[in-house]
Amino acid sequence: MKCSIAGAAGSLFAAVVLASAGNGVVLWDIQKRHVAQDPSKLQRRGSTYEEIISNEEARGGYFATCRLGTPSQSLTLQLDTGSSDIWVPDSSAAVCRETETDFGGCSLGTFNPNKSSTFDVVGPGEFDISYVDGSSSKGDYFTDDFEIGGATVQNMTMGLGITTDITYGLVGVGYAMNEAIVGNTQSTSSAYPNLPVNMMDEGLINTIAYSLWLNDLDSSAGNILFGGVDTEKYVGDLTSIKIYPTNKVFTSFLVAMTSLEASSPSGNDNLTSRAFPIPVVLDSGTTLSYLPTDLAKEVWKEVGAIYSQQFQLAVIPCDMANSKGYFTFGFAGPDGPRIKVRMDELVLDLTSGRPPTFKTGIYAGQDACEFGIQNFTSAPYLLGDTFLRSAYVVYDLVNNEIGIAQTDFNSTKSNIIAFASNGAQIPTATIAPNQNEATQRPSMTSPAYDASAGFTNGSATNNPAPGMPTALETSQIFVLGISTTFAMLGSGIFLGL
Ligand SMILES: *[C@@H]1O[C@H](CO)[C@@H](O)[C@H](O)[C@H]1NC(C)=O
Ligand SMILES: *[C@@H]1O[C@H](CO)[C@@H](O)[C@H](O)[C@H]1NC(C)=O
Ligand SMILES: *[C@@H]1O[C@H](CO)[C@@H](O)[C@H](O)[C@H]1NC(C)=O
Ligand SMILES: *[C@@H]1O[C@H](CO)[C@@H](O)[C@H](O)[C@H]1NC(C)=O
Ligand SMILES: *[C@@H]1O[C@H](CO)[C@@H](O)[C@H](O)[C@H]1NC(C)=O
Ligand SMILES: *[C@@H]1O[C@H](CO)[C@@H](O)[C@H](O)[C@H]1NC(C)=O
């Protein structure tokens, strides 16, 4: 069983911020958390989850503690590479005043602007953000001091969530062109310097870049290093690949996924999809990974995962976390970097309590878990935390490149190298060769599923017979969906340019 969840909302572990500001880098520790939410506030309108079957919902993500205002107020915010605004819940927001329920109350902290002498409204009513999962936050844009990893960024523009259905704020570190204000005004000139840009402008870092180390599913903490690379947090080579623009504008961390190989003691298969090369966004604000349905189905067949129409979700026996199989994600063409993701990173708890069990079918009686690779209908597809934990990823927003390497789980060593200057290449990275081949369709032969037997060998699980009816026992009270999809909605605004 993976990913045990801290008890009730409010009793979450305290976040520790390790700071090492100076020398052109700022290190910010992030903590994996699950935050209980009132499901009536969180009906998913996206196509991924239509049905909320639980009495509460826990959101999974990586959170960091920061301080805002003068005197400073402490808040814990979710780190998100899929959006670009920092926003905080206002103390007067209705969702934060619902302390009578088990869910409300904004236990990770709220911001009271009336108590900050440096608070200044700069865009009354102009803050309005919607995320792919249907949640949203609205209010004013304001400026105030923002303290992160021991460094203070003055005059930081942020959103004040006055009307919102999310009980905690976010730190969006994506491209400034993906700020909500740019989409809402349909004007690139409304972009303001967001956190990574402001950190460079204020001299805390030398270029607009950071590295994200999420670490193991079983580990509670990772970190984000602004302005540098830590060569002790990965194994093998750090390779840089192109980020692709959307209609000539860089708005999201869109890269070319060009292969997916399944491997186990019984064999290897290159999986196929009509969508190769697949445009995928590296999004730390998304818990699971979402691939085209044809490819996801091949993955599910390899591992024996089953799509539950009831939950609109691919599920798998929890025991499969012990499988010896793994997947290798290839990027930027045949000579590009490849990242291995083991099965124990892909099997997640569905609930915070006792897991639900399969009621019928070949898995009857076994505990059911959420599978880390789900399907989605249209591009761009998302590689969320179930992929990102296995990769050390450097985001270079000046050269529009991603540096990627196999993560070194639980590394306790550190060797930080700062970017030398604004626009410097990613330290120690080599550029992936022949990236032009990334745009070519690979030749495709349907996989023989040679790896399939080895995925299930050694676990109590066997592959289900095709068409075998399956249902989950839902009589218990449980939580479904420790997942969020905090990619900002509407990055297609440049379609007209
Ligand atoms: C701050 O003061 C304004 C005006 O008095 C008030 O409307 C608002 O609710 C206050 N906000 C909080 C969080 O107390
Ligand atoms: C604060 O930031 C805003 C927007 O980025 C800018 O227009 C303004 O000049 C800045 N003010 C100060 C005092 O730096
Ligand atoms: C990393 O540490 C966690 C927590 O101590 C442990 O459960 C996990 O097995 C470790 N992972 C690896 C790959 O060693
Ligand atoms: C299953 O595992 C056993 C023991 O590890 C091994 O002897 C056997 O060959 C494996 N079978 C397959 C199909 O991989
Ligand atoms: C899958 O593709 C890679 C890269 O083209 C190749 O090296 C490997 O041998 C292939 N594996 C199988 C099982 O065909
Ligand atoms: C995912 O696949 C299932 C099973 O084929 C299908 O019913 C569902 O509509 C797909 N979901 C999306 C978002 O494409």
Side-chain angles (χ1 to χ4, degrees):
M1 294 289 300
K2 313 308 296 181
C3 192
S4 60
I5 296 171
S11 66
L12 301 159
F13 44 87
V16 182
V17 178
L18 275 187
S20 89
N23 304 322
V25 295
V26 174
L27 183 66
W28 205 24
D29 270 13
I30 51 182
Q31 298 264 345
K32 193 159 89 234
R33 282 173 181 265
H34 299 278
V35 184
Q37 294 272 323
D38 180 346
S40 64
K41 300 280 185 299
L42 279 170
Q43 294 296 328
R44 278 171 202 281
R45 284 163 291 245
S47 49
T48 340
Y49 299 90
E50 315 276 34
E51 195 180 9
I52 304 280
I53 49 83
S54 56
N55 70 333
E56 71 175 332
E57 181 177 53
R59 300 194 141 202
Y62 285 84
F63 288 77
T65 298
C66 63
R67 305 184 73 86
L68 248 83
T70 313
S72 65
Q73 303 174 35
S74 178
L75 281 91
T76 297
L77 307 172
Q78 183 174 354
L79 182 77
D80 185 16
T81 58
S83 66
S84 303
D85 295 273
I86 299 177
W87 75 266
V88 291
D90 184 278
S91 307
S92 69
V95 71
C96 299
R97 286 191 277 112
E98 291 167 1
T99 45
E100 69 277 8
T101 74
D102 289 344
F103 314 108
C106 300
S107 58
L108 301 185
T110 62
F111 183 60
N112 186 341
N114 298 344
K115 292 188 178 159
S116 172
S117 63
T118 39
F119 171 84
D120 201 7
V121 173
V122 293
E126 286 176 7
F127 173 66
D128 184 350
I129 193 164
S130 299
Y131 300 96
V132 166
D133 68 1
S135 57
S136 66
S137 179
K138 294 176 174 48
D140 304 329
Y141 271 113
F142 70 97
T143 57
D144 209 332
D145 294 352
F146 183 82
E147 194 185 313
I148 161 180
T152 300
V153 185
Q154 283 166 350
N155 191 28
M156 184 66 231
T157 301
M158 295 171 270
L160 187 62
I162 298 168
T163 309
T164 179
D165 50 9
I166 312 170
T167 60
Y168 50 83
L170 272 88
V171 177
V173 290
Y175 282 105
M177 282 300 148
N178 201 32
E179 288 163 6
I181 186 81
V182 177
N184 295 341
T185 58
Q186 299 271 312
S187 164
T188 55
S189 62
S190 359
Y192 63 87
N194 70 347
L195 181 65
V197 178
N198 218 351
M199 287 176 85
M200 195 198 70
D201 288 350
E202 298 198 8
L204 294 168
I205 55 177
N206 298 328
T207 193
I208 308 166
Y210 46 84
S211 304
L212 195 54
W213 183 60
L214 296 184
N215 207 3
D216 202 338
L217 183 55
D218 284 331
S219 165
S220 62
N223 62 46
I224 180 166
L225 177 68
F226 289 93
V229 169
D230 187 342
T231 62
E232 291 288 348
K233 294 289 186 280
Y234 59 85
V235 291
D237 294 331
L238 184 64
T239 308
S240 70
I241 59 174
K242 279 181 198 165
I243 298 173
Y244 289 85
T246 306
N247 294 289
K248 297 183 184 154
V249 183
F250 289 93
T251 52
S252 64
F253 301 118
L254 188 67
V255 297
M257 177 177 157
T258 44
S259 66
L260 183 61
E261 187 171 8
S263 302
S264 82
S266 66
N268 304 289
D269 297 295
N270 281 318
L271 305 184
T272 60
S273 170
R274 275 177 301 171
F276 276 124
I278 303 171
V280 291
V281 173
L282 305 179
D283 181 10
S284 72
T286 292
T287 314
L288 305 176
S289 295
Y290 296 86
L291 294 177
T293 298
D294 59 353
L295 184 59
K297 282 185 169 167
E298 291 187 1
V299 170
W300 299 341
K301 190 169 171 186
E302 288 282 4
V303 302
I306 292 171
Y307 186 82
S308 161
Q309 290 293 346
Q310 183 190 5
F311 294 165
Q312 307 263 299
L313 195 69
V315 292
I316 190 167
C318 299
D319 191 44
M320 282 297 289
N322 301 316
S323 168
K324 299 274 181 291
Y326 60 89
F327 289 91
T328 306
F329 289 69
F331 298 91
D335 304 315
R338 289 154 71 84
I339 302 294
K340 283 184 188 175
V341 180
R342 301 188 320 222
M343 279 298 281
D344 60 344
E345 298 292 328
L346 292 171
V347 179
L348 278 68
D349 288 354
L350 274 165
T351 77
S352 62
R354 257 199 68 205
T357 51
F358 288 96
K359 197 161 60 179
T360 60
I362 193 125
Y363 299 142
Q366 296 194 47
D367 289 346
C369 274
E370 183 172 44
F371 188 53
I373 298 175
Q374 300 288 332
N375 62 323
F376 200 64
T377 357
S378 59
Y381 299 93
L382 298 173
L383 293 183
D385 296 339
T386 52
F387 167 80
L388 289 171
R389 272 189 281 271
S390 298
Y392 186 76
V393 182
V394 188
Y395 300 81
D396 175 350
L397 288 74
V398 175
N399 298 307
N400 303 310
E401 300 221 311
I402 290 288
I404 194 164
Q406 191 74 39
T407 201
D408 190 356
F409 285 129
N410 293 347
S411 165
T412 50
K413 292 191 213 144
S414 181
N415 176 39
I416 291 173
I417 305 176
F419 281 76
S421 59
N422 186 7
Q425 296 293 322
I426 300 172
T428 75
T430 51
I431 297 168
N434 309 321
Q435 286 192 68
N436 53 326
E437 290 176 29
T439 53
Q440 288 162 22
R441 283 278 294 281
S443 63
M444 290 195 305
T445 340
S446 288
Y449 295 101
D450 288 339
S452 184
F455 267 97
T456 49
N457 191 17
S459 74
T461 305
N462 295 300
N463 273 345
M468 183 70 81
T470 301
L472 295 183
E473 177 65 70
T474 57
S475 56
Q476 310 144 52
I477 303 291
F478 66 89
V479 184
L480 171 73
I482 46 170
S483 49
T484 57
T485 318
F486 280 148
M488 207 199 72
L489 198 64
S491 40
I493 55 154
F494 293 103
L495 285 170
L497 289 188

